[in-house]
Amino acid sequence: MIEVLRAGALTTVQDQGRPGWAHLGVPRSGALDPAALRLANRLVGNPEHAAGLEITLTGCVLRVTRAVTVALTGAPADVRVEHPSPERAGPRTAGPARPGDVGRPLSLPAGAVLRIGPARAGIRTWLAVSGGITVEPVLGSRSTDTLSGLGPPPLRDSDRLPLGAPAGPPPPVDLTVTPPVPTEVSLAVRPGPRQDWFTPAALDLLHGSAYTVGSDSNRVGARLAGAALPRAVAGELPSEGLVLGAVQVPPNGQPLIFLADHPTTGGYPVIGVVDDVTALAQARPGTTVRFHGPERGPR
């Protein structure tokens, strides 16, 4: 088991998600940076699809009840391992602490406490544990979906998470390189199904303006603030299908980019679709976002 001593602002169980159910109104969910979670799983010897934890901004504190290997990837954070007290003065007594690193496998003895500090840059850190987190899957995935409520709820203090049997020893890797968190995000965007609902000036603004990530962004979508995108067509749309990366424009003209927990339908026009939204997983409020066409590359 993993015992949750401090859950933090938002810590959720995530794997590679549940794609293929949009026709039933079920979002894909999954880690906002799937490659980061896959890497963490490889570092501890898990299959790449094993479930781990997505830890948001403030860190968390966990205790393991058996000896495990853990690895963290993503946002840099201070990591400390407290070993169980050799005097065994009590079940919650900790012994000497040692530092750990993001991007490096760590061996924890039974009873050890893992303290993951706040993200020093970016927002999210992913934690894999040997054996994987084995909460009950829903529609083939153990991911928490913050929009629909599918999967386990976000972690709370005193929760206990089951672990599976280790698949094998971790690979002989001492350290992986953690890419720096970008201070500016450049996104390739393709024409959306309702691009004709916007004026030519709106398309020029989308490709030529700098936007900033809003504080109300979350796993559902990144809300942007900047130049409003004027519409050529007034009125409302019937709800229609939405995909990961859809750039929807509400009546205020401010674009919204849908992320892993996005709804599967929506009624505001979609001006474009972002090829890869992974960089937004670490975009803090105030981060600059620029769009470019897929054929031109970033400016």
Side-chain angles (χ1 to χ4, degrees), residues 167-234:
V173 176
D174 292 327
L175 184 67
T176 60
V177 176
T178 301
V181 174
T183 56
E184 181 172 307
V185 175
S186 182
L187 301 173
V189 62
R190 298 179 183 275
R194 298 298 177 179
Q195 183 173 294
D196 58 341
W197 276 51
F198 296 88
T199 66
L203 301 177
D204 291 340
L205 285 170
L206 182 68
H207 289 91
S209 302
Y211 290 87
T212 56
V213 176
S215 59
D216 51 353
S217 301
N218 52 31
R219 281 183 49 86
V220 176
R223 295 183 180 274
L224 306 182
L229 303 178
R231 281 169 52 168
V233 178

Side-chain angles (χ1 to χ4, degrees), residues 33-199:
D33 186 343
L37 180 56
R38 287 196 297 268
L39 174 59
N41 275 318
R42 289 200 298 271
L43 288 171
V44 301
N46 285 346
E48 291 186 347
H49 62 266
L53 295 181
E54 183 175 280
I55 304 160
T56 307
L57 197 59
T58 60
C60 65
V61 182
L62 311 167
R63 177 187 284 110
V64 296
T65 62
R66 77 167 193 222
V68 296
T69 301
V70 303
L72 294 113
T73 56
D78 293 328
V79 181
R80 295 189 68 80
V81 178
E82 295 177 354
H83 290 260
S85 172
E87 292 81 14
R88 300 184 182 277
R92 297 193 179 275
T93 302
R98 62 181 171 89
D101 296 300
V102 173
R104 183 174 184 175
L106 301 169
S107 295
L108 276 59
V113 172
L114 179 66
R115 296 186 178 273
I116 303 164
R120 296 194 300 270
I123 298 179
R124 296 174 177 90
T125 304
W126 290 269
L127 170 71
V129 183
S130 53
I133 295 172
T134 55
V135 296
E136 192 68 25
V138 178
L139 296 178
S141 170
R142 294 182 166 93
S143 289
T144 299
D145 185 330
T146 60
L147 180 66
S148 70
L150 289 176
L155 268 57
R156 297 165 296 183
D157 295 356
S158 301
D159 279 353
R160 292 168 63 89
L161 301 172
L163 296 176
V173 176
D174 292 327
L175 184 67
T176 60
V177 176
T178 301
V181 174
T183 56
E184 181 172 307
V185 175
S186 182
L187 301 173
V189 62
R190 298 179 183 275
R194 298 298 177 179
Q195 183 173 294
D196 58 341
W197 276 51
F198 296 88
T199 66

Side-chain angles (χ1 to χ4, degrees), residues 22 25 239-242 248 258 262-267:
S239 288
E240 54 188 6
L242 291 173
Q248 193 183 68
F258 280 116
H262 69 83
T264 55
T265 61

